[in-house]
Amino acid sequence: MPNLMDLFGQLTVFAKLTMAVAIVALGLATAYVFRPTEQKLVLMRPISLAAIFATVSGLLGGWIALLASIPATPDGHLPVDVLYRGIAESLTVGFVSFGLLAAAWMLVAVGVVRRSAASS
């Protein structure tokens, strides 16, 4: 079983940029927790959509790269190790990005509670 850091090191630049969009959403959510303003909350929604679309395109891009890299062997056998490694790499992008997005929205929920408590 590969180490997670080894797997992250093998990710393409496109996959890392895909995860960077989710990191931006997490950063904005962190800023919203400390200073909850309406402007940050309004900005969180389109950045979340961008992270979702980037994650889906990152998953599909990983699957496309995987299918393009599998060689056609004369005996018809697929190299299973290459197939599983490619699936793991593409699913890592989805797991990390959607995990960061879930954490970001949990922080937004905390910020909303803080904002409503401050206005009461």
Side-chain angles (χ1 to χ4, degrees):
M1 181 169 180
N3 186 348
L4 189 58
M5 291 309 293
D6 292 339
L7 191 59
F8 184 76
Q10 294 175 359
L11 292 176
T12 62
V13 173
F14 181 68
K16 291 176 184 174
L17 289 174
T18 299
M19 289 188 286
V21 178
I23 291 171
V24 168
L26 183 66
L28 180 62
T30 304
Y32 182 75
V33 166
F34 291 116
R35 187 169 291 173
T37 64
E38 185 68 28
Q39 182 182 8
K40 290 177 188 168
L41 185 60
V42 168
L43 189 58
M44 186 65 189
R45 292 179 184 119
I47 288 179
S48 294
L49 279 175
I52 290 169
F53 292 142
T55 302
V56 169
S57 70
L59 282 169
L60 292 176
W63 293 338
I64 290 168
L66 169 66
L67 292 175
S69 68
I70 293 178
T73 57
D75 58 1
H77 291 106
L78 288 175
V80 179
D81 57 334
V82 173
L83 179 68
Y84 288 154
R85 187 176 300 269
I87 290 172
E89 179 181 329
S90 64
L91 290 178
T92 300
V93 172
F95 178 76
V96 171
S97 295
F98 283 134
L100 288 171
L101 200 54
W105 277 101
M106 290 301 292
L107 290 174
V108 168
V110 170
V112 167
V113 169
R114 286 189 66 221
R115 185 173 179 197
S116 66
S119 65
S120 297

